[in-house]
Amino acid sequence: MKNKPMSIAILPGDGIGEEITKPCVKLLQQALAKVGEAPLIERWLEAGAGAYTKLGEALPQTTIDGCRSADAILLAAMGDPSVRYPDGTEIIPQIDLRFELELYAGVRPVRSVKGVKGPLADPRGDKLDFVLVRESTEGLFASVGKGTRDELQATDTQVITRKGTARVSDFAFRLAQQRKEKGHPGELTCVDKANVFKSMAFFRDVFDEAAAAYPDITRRYGYVDAVALEMVRRPWIYDVMVTENMFGDILSDLAAGLIGGLGMAPSADIGDDHAVFQPCHGSAPDIAGSGKANPTAMFLSGAMMFEWLAGEKNNPAAGKAGRMIVAAVDDAYADGSLVSTERGGNAGVVEISDAVGAALDALEPADRRIS
Ligand code: ATP
């Protein structure tokens, strides 16, 4: 039986944004057709540096309204170093959107894809499967647009609240539980700097309070500097980690490096009522328009969107479509011949989109990865 069509706010943004959004939406529609579902209702909306130049607003109210009324939001990338606000800062409305829609849980899965060799010599480095959860509405980013600066000093203040920490900790514990049901260890690491900063000791205390409701999950702790080391030395020790906004920003790029680059790293920013799905990378202005961009992170973000919609809208077919996209990505890369330009190969947007589209086409409905 067909479910009600899902309406998606689509924000291609700047730089490589549009180049990777078009094939992504095509792939999402292809997956829905394959599971016999109605096509997505596409609502393409303007936001970003281009919108700022054209309309004088980086995140127009019509875009915010369109995001609020959609079932989910698919965002590519925003920002252009050559377009700045009068104070010199870059246009980053994707961060404003996280605040506006209270998207407090930044989910960054770090999953190796077979055939995409990571940088580590140890073979366990090519079989990674952990998730970094980044608090996305406060921390050091609470200071965006509010910091101070004069001739002698500049300040940005880190804000950690009980509400913000409790809800992201709860989210991460629930995620660890869901993963445990699928055979993962059921461990959650709190990543902080509780030995130095009051705000971070508070973060850890609130994390500990949240832990009481999840006795089935093993709690671990790591100082962010030590975790950065371990993520290079033996990242396979992690299952789920939760951390402050800025630490999460940095560690998620490090994590992307472990699985073949930013073009392979999907993400989601999830709140209680809305969610944005967006690759970890930025607008990559250095390669925009060259065709070199890797759209895989965008595809996998779309797959995460379908998985989320499956739960939110009680639409199991969407989950199936999401798992099909993941399986198609895996199949496209499996023999190692598809090598993106960021890894020194020749495959860009067209080659990778074609390969994943063909792999999706070839998937058998009975494939056990999908059911
Ligand atoms: P932001 O701060 O907005 O996240 P950033 O400063 O981290 O952005 P990116 O735009 O993510 O920068 O780009 C960092 C580097 O990674 C650039 O050299 C860019 O070309 C490369 N890169 C980013 N995304 C991709 C992609 N999808 N495919 C190939 N290369 C990419």
Side-chain angles (χ1 to χ4, degrees), residues 16 20 77-81 90-92 94-95 98 134 249 253 260-265 278-288 292-298 340-343 347-349 352:
I16 60 170
I20 59 172
M78 286 172 194
D80 177 343
E90 269 197 55
I91 316 281
I92 42 172
Q94 65 276 34
I95 296 185
R98 289 177 200 157
R134 161 188 177 184
D249 187 32
D253 269 30
L262 283 165
M264 297 301 292
Q278 169 192 13
C280 275
H281 58 76
S283 57
D286 53 334
I287 55 164
K292 288 183 179 167
N294 181 354
T296 309
M298 185 81 193
S340 63
T341 59
E342 59 184 340
R343 293 178 49 241
V349 183
I352 296 171

Side-chain angles (χ1 to χ4, degrees), residues 248-270:
D249 187 32
I250 298 166
L251 292 183
S252 50
D253 269 30
L254 168 51
L258 294 172
I259 54 168
L262 283 165
M264 297 301 292
S267 86
D269 288 295
I270 299 178

